[in-house]
Amino acid sequence: MDFASLVGIISGLVLIISAILIGGNADIFINVPGMMIVVGGTMAATLLTVQFRDVMNAFKGAYIVFTQDKTNPSEMIDTMIKLSKISHRHGLLKLGEVKTDSAVLHRACMLLCEAASEQVIRNTLQNEIDSLMARHFSVQDVFRKMAAYAPAFGMLGTLIGLIQMLSELDNPESIGPAMAVALLTTFYGSLLATMVFLPIAGKLKARTLLEVTNLEIIREGSISILTNDHYAHVYEQLSSYLPERARKPIVNKKPPVMQGVKK
């Protein structure tokens, strides 16, 4: 799992559980009907809003984001420099033999191997970027909707509990416990929204921005390779995608001085 995600989940749960245990009995925070209202209502409203397939894709996407290794832009730039060196030494046809796990990078290599025009490469890879952003936005939108529905159903559960409580005002001793149970659904809704759904949506957005950056590096690097730029020029063009402190300019080795030849 991503280290930041692991730290966030553990620290958040530990702080909340610790606050509950320090404050008193933890059993009073367990209310099965309240959980049914919040969780069931949130899922039902989400399924009414989007298709079931989109909900399943959202959970699959969240699982992949939290468990799959990410490719940093610096690593992608190094990959494009390696492809540039292969192209210079063996020609564009050699790029067709490159093995990679990235479907977009493989497609870019095939376009270069086929000597596609710059406009074709730019349009094709831009379409890949646009489609990726659209797919990821739909996944993020599912969790943003769930984050909006969960507190609303929590409030709905609180209203149900208050109605039940007010119907038994003739028994003053039951008002306190009944009020606590009524407020639990609001607690469940707020907890799910702020601790689960919104953080997942934020993590998905951050991963989307990272993947878009990597695809833009592939696009611009492929165009530079097509125009037969030197690998040092390729790096200088792609280094703008990196923060200033992460940029490492390539220093070309000085050619050896030939005997009998004046500078």
Side-chain angles (χ1 to χ4, degrees):
M1 180 180 287
D2 178 68
F3 179 73
S5 303
L6 185 62
V7 171
I9 291 174
I10 293 176
S11 61
L13 291 177
V14 168
L15 290 173
I16 293 173
I17 294 174
S18 299
I20 291 174
L21 294 177
I22 292 173
N25 187 7
D27 293 339
I28 61 175
F29 285 87
I30 299 175
N31 183 259
V32 176
M35 293 180 184
M36 293 172 60
I37 292 174
V38 175
V39 177
T42 300
M43 292 303 301
T46 304
L47 290 173
L48 285 171
T49 307
V50 300
Q51 296 181 2
F52 179 77
R53 179 183 59 188
D54 295 334
V55 176
M56 295 303 298
N57 290 336
F59 283 101
K60 289 179 182 178
Y63 174 79
I64 291 173
V65 165
F66 281 93
T67 57
Q68 192 178 64
D69 292 335
K70 59 184 179 181
T71 302
N72 293 322
S74 58
E75 297 175 0
M76 185 57 68
I77 290 176
D78 292 340
T79 299
M80 299 310 297
I81 291 174
K82 292 178 183 179
L83 294 180
S84 176
K85 292 180 179 180
I86 293 174
S87 174
H88 268 276
R89 294 172 183 173
H90 307 286
L92 292 175
L93 287 175
K94 193 68 175 179
L95 296 179
E97 303 176 5
V98 173
K99 305 297 182 182
T100 176
D101 294 332
S102 172
V104 178
L105 182 59
H106 176 73
R107 189 173 186 183
C109 289
M110 295 307 298
L111 289 172
L112 291 170
C113 177
E114 296 167 359
S117 65
E118 176 180 341
Q119 193 63 34
V120 170
I121 294 177
R122 185 178 296 276
N123 291 340
T124 301
L125 298 183
Q126 185 60 46
N127 289 337
E128 292 282 355
I129 294 174
D130 294 339
S131 62
L132 179 139
M133 293 179 66
R135 293 194 305 270
H136 284 208
F137 177 81
S138 63
V139 171
Q140 298 166 27
D141 192 50
V142 170
F143 287 103
R144 282 193 289 264
K145 284 182 169 59
M146 295 176 74
Y149 292 145
F153 277 97
M155 184 58 66
L156 180 62
T158 297
L159 294 175
I160 293 173
L162 289 175
I163 292 172
Q164 294 174 345
M165 181 193 70
L166 292 175
S167 65
E168 298 181 1
L169 285 179
D170 54 343
N171 187 7
E173 295 181 356
S174 65
I175 294 178
M179 176 64 76
V181 172
L183 293 176
L184 274 179
T185 55
T186 300
F187 169 74
Y188 293 151
S190 300
L191 180 65
L192 285 175
T194 57
M195 192 63 197
V196 179
F197 299 139
L198 286 178
I200 290 177
K203 180 66 72 172
L204 289 170
K205 182 178 180 181
R207 182 59 69 89
T208 297
L209 294 176
L210 180 63
E211 292 191 21
V212 168
T213 300
N214 287 331
L215 294 186
E216 289 177 347
I217 290 173
I218 294 175
R219 182 191 63 196
E220 299 303 322
S222 299
I223 294 173
S224 296
I225 293 173
L226 180 67
T227 55
N228 203 29
D229 286 343
H230 190 267
Y231 70 90
H233 297 161
V234 173
Y235 177 81
E236 292 301 329
Q237 291 180 4
L238 300 181
S239 62
S240 60
Y241 290 97
L242 299 176
E244 190 69 30
R245 64 180 180 275
R247 299 177 187 178
K248 298 178 182 179
I250 297 178
V251 179
N252 294 324
K253 295 182 180 180
K254 294 182 179 180
V257 178
M258 303 297 292
Q259 296 293 334
V261 178
K262 295 183 179 180
K263 294 184 179 179

